[in-house]
Amino acid sequence: MKMQYGLIGWPLGHSFSRDFFTKKFCNEGIDAEYLNFEIPEASRLFQIIQEHPLLKGVNVTLPHKQAVIPLLDELSQEAAAIGAVNVIRITRSPNGEPYLKGFNSDVIGFTDSIRPLLKPHHQKALVLGTGGASKAICHGLEKLGVEWTYVSRNSAPNRLTYSQLTPSIMQTYTVIVNCSPVGMFPKVDHCPAIPYEYLTPNHLLYDIVYNPTITLFMKHGAEHGSTVKNGIEMLERQAIASWEFWNS
């Protein structure tokens, strides 16, 4: 019988992960299938595991990357440090009792993807958004030796709001990573409210959004000569890491 893997989130819509793994299984002759599980609450994970006894692992996407943590039996060191999980490995005891271990492959995908673009002047980064994905991005930036500051619509300690992004700040923070869903399909005519007029060729704009492939955030950056990149390679690399976590 086919082994099963899947994705939990709400809503899901088009799934990069399902396409990626379906092609992988076909190309490599792996007898497995990848399923999408749209669940409004993370606690529904237990029901999915019970109904799918061949399920060996799942990816986790919005809005469950933090909510799944209390449901797990174990966390990898990196997932615990980040405070967000996007991969769960499911093993079962001889009596069928599941054991769930959480990992984070987002940080692997992000660091591998952005590292070749970093220049010596890329010392500080603005991280747009404060959700589960941003936690992995910040952890990755730290591993790369880049200081980071959150930017959010709401004021909070040790955080900037979009209205506080002065010319001086924009000049200092030459890496900008969009970890928010702003600009994602179908709302492709939206973009994070940063002051794009202060961008320069020294800036690097990285958008973890992958649909559309060129977001309005990226277009505005390119218009000012900034280096821009979307999240496709990050997704591919985190998917490869997910497979390794499931089968290690």
Side-chain angles (χ1 to χ4, degrees):
M1 298 180 69
K2 287 182 181 292
M3 289 295 102
Q4 295 178 332
Y5 302 87
L7 172 68
I8 64 170
W10 181 268
L12 289 181
H14 174 265
S15 167
F16 169 88
S17 296
R18 187 173 188 177
D19 289 348
F20 178 90
F21 282 107
T22 298
K23 291 176 183 175
K24 176 181 176 67
F25 298 155
C26 180
N27 293 338
E28 299 180 21
I30 298 171
D31 191 20
E33 61 181 342
Y34 193 94
L35 307 171
N36 281 352
F37 301 105
E38 281 194 311
I39 55 173
E41 296 177 355
S43 59
R44 291 276 298 276
L45 174 62
F46 293 128
Q47 180 183 344
I48 290 169
I49 293 172
Q50 185 177 21
E51 294 174 352
H52 296 80
L54 298 179
L55 191 63
K56 294 188 65 178
V58 294
N59 289 118
V60 184
T61 189
L62 297 172
H64 302 321
K65 290 187 177 185
Q66 295 166 269
V68 297
I69 291 178
L71 311 178
L72 306 179
D73 298 293
E74 184 182 354
L75 286 178
S76 69
Q77 285 187 334
E78 194 148 65
I82 294 167
V85 163
N86 77 315
V87 181
I88 299 174
R89 184 175 67 208
I90 304 166
T91 53
R92 289 176 173 83
S93 66
N95 65 1
E97 189 70 22
Y99 186 89
L100 310 180
K101 182 171 180 177
F103 302 85
N104 193 298
S105 66
D106 280 339
V107 65
I108 297 171
F110 172 70
T111 54
D112 285 355
S113 177
I114 198 173
R115 185 183 288 110
L117 302 178
L118 293 174
K119 300 291 193 297
H121 62 268
H122 291 140
Q123 298 294 318
K124 294 188 175 183
L126 297 175
V127 177
L128 314 182
T130 57
S134 69
K135 295 181 182 300
I137 297 306
C138 293
H139 189 77
L141 289 169
E142 289 175 6
K143 292 182 71 171
L144 293 167
V146 179
E147 296 180 34
W148 57 268
T149 297
Y150 275 134
V151 181
S152 174
R153 290 172 297 177
N154 303 314
S155 179
N158 303 315
R159 184 184 303 177
L160 296 170
T161 62
Y162 288 94
S163 62
Q164 293 175 316
L165 299 181
T166 62
S168 176
I169 288 175
M170 293 294 289
Q171 184 178 8
T172 301
Y173 290 82
T174 52
V175 178
I176 305 175
V177 185
N178 178 35
C179 299
S180 77
V182 178
M184 183 184 297
F185 181 85
K187 297 182 178 180
V188 298
D189 57 346
H190 290 62
C191 61
I194 66 170
Y196 294 95
E197 63 269 24
Y198 302 136
L199 295 177
T200 70
N202 284 335
H203 283 85
L204 166 59
L205 272 62
Y206 191 105
D207 201 333
I208 71 169
V209 170
Y210 68 94
N211 185 15
T213 54
I214 301 177
T215 61
L216 192 56
F217 170 74
M218 294 168 61
K219 286 180 182 177
H220 287 328
E223 288 168 358
H224 290 83
S226 304
T227 301
V228 299
K229 188 166 187 175
N230 67 18
I232 287 287
E233 187 182 27
M234 174 181 166
L235 280 171
E236 292 173 346
R237 290 177 179 268
Q238 69 86 10
I240 293 168
S242 296
W243 181 250
E244 294 172 353
F245 287 141
W246 290 329
N247 294 283
S248 61

